[in-house]
Amino acid sequence: MSGWNKEIKFNYRKGLVAVVTFLGGLYFFLEFILPARLLKAIGVAQYHENISNGFISVGAMALGLGLINLFLTHGSRILFKKKGSLNSFALLFGLLLMMSLSLYEWVAGLNAARAADELRLLSQFARQIEKDISSNRKDVPPADFRMLKLKESLDAYSSPCVASDISHSLKLISFCKEMKAQEAELDAIDIGRVENLQSISEVLSLMSASRAKFEAEKHKNSNLVRLFVLLKEGFFISLGAAMFSLLGFYIAVAAYRAFRVRSFEAALMMLAALIVMLGQMSFASGILDYFGEMRSWLMNIPNGAAFRAIRIGAAVAGLVLAFRMWFSIESESFSERS
């Protein structure tokens, strides 16, 4: 009886995955081929963003499960001091460090953009007050009240230029001088007068642009962002380049050992490879000018045609694979087990 219940539960999960996969594929397939006016007429267009966000959430769940699996696998290896625990520690430490710095970089970027947006919104607010007054609009708060709120917001504005924050960067000092000049220009304007609203809006717009440049430069010069750039560009990209360099070297060595010129096709391939490599080298191009031209011709004409054929074949294969996944034919992990 227990085996029968287990089999029923397993089939239910398999069917649920197949149904969700089919419905999701069917929706996006129809959304792609049907005209926009038809989707709007049947009421699908207004829910498309929500549906897409739902599938993105499913993908985020898969990402979360992957992270949990990483922590469980490598965390247990570290806790029980199994073989390779040092590598697991390096992996998890690097993962946590880069995730933390990436999160900080993202939040700091949002805060920097928000600081400039405050001035931009005040500029739009001043412009809107002037527009409402000129059009004699009645369904908005009184102009005096809105002018008072604008003045209060401007009085509450504080300059971001702090000596301890900008002393290490000439660009920050330059941006601060620019903002202080704009602040002085704003202070010289009588904010309580309606006829000055356009000037206030223009100055605030300039201040918003200057503040955005200042915050971007300040964000770029923060210590944590510098650490993030160091880890990403100084370690990650450099290690990746070293890894691919070693991979290219081993591929070249393997090709040298395994490749034998025993036919006309092999000789032609060897000749083309030799011309391409010599054309890529600066000293060879300096000796014989036509190496570079021959390399370009080989890469753009014969090689380009071959790669187009390969891409067409890969696209057809990808389409077939997509249909197999859509109809749950590629579902070996959910297949029945004896």
Side-chain angles (χ1 to χ4, degrees), residues 20 25 31 38 71 79 83 92 96 125 162-163 176 185 211 215 271 277 280:
V20 172
E31 194 273 336
L38 178 59
F71 281 108
L79 289 176
K83 184 179 179 180
L92 293 183
L96 289 173
F125 183 50
V162 180
C176 275
E185 184 179 356
R211 181 68 181 269
E215 293 293 343
L271 179 62
M277 286 190 293
Q280 193 71 21

Side-chain angles (χ1 to χ4, degrees), residues 6-66:
K6 183 178 180 181
E7 186 69 21
I8 293 296
K9 182 179 180 181
F10 181 79
N11 287 336
Y12 171 77
R13 184 178 67 174
K14 176 185 175 183
L16 180 62
V17 171
V19 168
V20 172
T21 302
F22 177 77
L23 292 178
L26 180 64
Y27 170 77
F28 284 105
F29 176 73
L30 294 177
E31 194 273 336
F32 180 77
I33 64 172
L34 293 178
R37 61 179 182 274
L38 178 59
L39 295 175
K40 188 175 181 180
I42 62 179
V44 175
Q46 58 181 338
Y47 299 109
H48 175 67
E49 184 176 356
N50 294 331
I51 295 173
S52 300
N53 290 336
F55 282 98
I56 292 174
S57 301
V58 173
M61 291 173 59
L63 178 63
L65 290 175

Side-chain angles (χ1 to χ4, degrees), residues 256-297:
Y256 173 76
R257 290 182 176 181
F259 190 74
R260 295 291 184 271
V261 181
R262 296 177 180 175
S263 63
F264 173 75
E265 291 82 2
L268 189 62
M269 182 177 177
M270 175 65 77
L271 179 62
L274 184 63
I275 293 174
V276 170
M277 286 190 293
L278 289 175
Q280 193 71 21
M281 299 176 184
S282 57
F283 72 88
S285 299
I287 297 173
L288 296 174
D289 294 336
Y290 58 83
F291 267 129
E293 297 178 2
M294 292 178 65
R295 172 195 167 277
S296 299
W297 183 84

Side-chain angles (χ1 to χ4, degrees), residues 75-334:
S76 62
R77 187 176 297 173
I78 295 171
L79 289 176
F80 296 106
K81 298 181 180 179
K82 296 181 180 179
K83 184 179 179 180
S85 59
L86 184 61
N87 294 332
S88 296
F89 174 77
L91 173 67
L92 293 183
F93 177 76
L95 176 64
L96 289 173
L97 182 61
M98 290 302 294
M99 286 179 61
S100 302
L101 290 175
S102 299
L103 181 62
Y104 167 80
E105 201 268 344
W106 175 61
V107 173
L110 289 179
N111 292 333
R114 189 179 298 114
D117 283 342
E118 292 177 0
L119 291 172
R120 181 180 58 82
L121 291 174
L122 287 176
S123 173
Q124 294 177 353
F125 183 50
R127 191 179 300 113
Q128 187 64 41
I129 295 174
E130 181 189 20
K131 182 179 178 181
D132 293 341
I133 292 175
S134 61
S135 62
N136 199 20
R137 188 174 176 182
K138 301 298 184 182
D139 57 340
V140 293
D144 294 339
F145 175 77
R146 300 168 79 188
M147 293 285 291
L148 178 62
K149 291 300 179 182
L150 176 63
K151 187 176 185 304
E152 290 177 355
S153 299
L154 293 177
D155 291 339
Y157 172 77
S158 59
S159 176
C161 299
V162 180
S164 59
D165 293 335
I166 67 172
S167 58
H168 61 280
S169 174
L170 294 177
K171 285 187 176 181
L172 288 177
I173 295 174
S174 174
F175 292 148
C176 275
K177 290 181 179 179
E178 183 179 332
M179 284 190 294
K180 287 180 179 178
Q182 293 164 353
E183 291 169 8
E185 184 179 356
L186 182 64
D187 292 338
I189 301 175
D190 187 358
I191 300 176
R193 299 177 66 87
V194 175
E195 57 269 20
N196 293 333
L197 283 172
Q198 183 176 358
S199 300
I200 294 172
S201 176
E202 292 174 355
V203 174
L204 286 174
S205 180
L206 294 175
M207 289 176 62
S208 174
S210 300
R211 181 68 181 269
K213 292 186 290 185
F214 173 83
E215 293 293 343
E217 185 66 22
K218 182 180 176 181
H219 170 66
K220 187 173 68 174
N221 284 278
S222 64
N223 292 329
L224 288 178
V225 172
R226 287 181 176 179
L227 178 60
F228 174 78
V229 173
L230 173 65
L231 291 174
K232 182 180 178 181
E233 299 182 1
F235 287 90
F236 182 74
I237 296 179
S238 301
L239 290 174
M243 182 67 68
F244 278 103
S245 300
L246 290 173
L247 182 62
F249 174 77
Y250 282 116
I251 289 175
V253 171
Y256 173 76
R257 290 182 176 181
F259 190 74
R260 295 291 184 271
V261 181
R262 296 177 180 175
S263 63
F264 173 75
E265 291 82 2
L268 189 62
M269 182 177 177
M270 175 65 77
L271 179 62
L274 184 63
I275 293 174
V276 170
M277 286 190 293
L278 289 175
Q280 193 71 21
M281 299 176 184
S282 57
F283 72 88
S285 299
I287 297 173
L288 296 174
D289 294 336
Y290 58 83
F291 267 129
E293 297 178 2
M294 292 178 65
R295 172 195 167 277
S296 299
W297 183 84
L298 285 172
M299 295 296 293
N300 295 330
I301 307 302
N303 188 67
F307 266 96
R308 280 193 292 272
I310 292 173
R311 282 196 292 266
I312 292 173
V316 173
L319 182 62
V320 172
L321 181 61
F323 274 102
R324 290 176 65 86
M325 293 179 65
W326 181 12
F327 293 103
S328 297
I329 299 174
E330 297 287 343
S331 57
E332 296 180 359
S333 59
F334 295 101

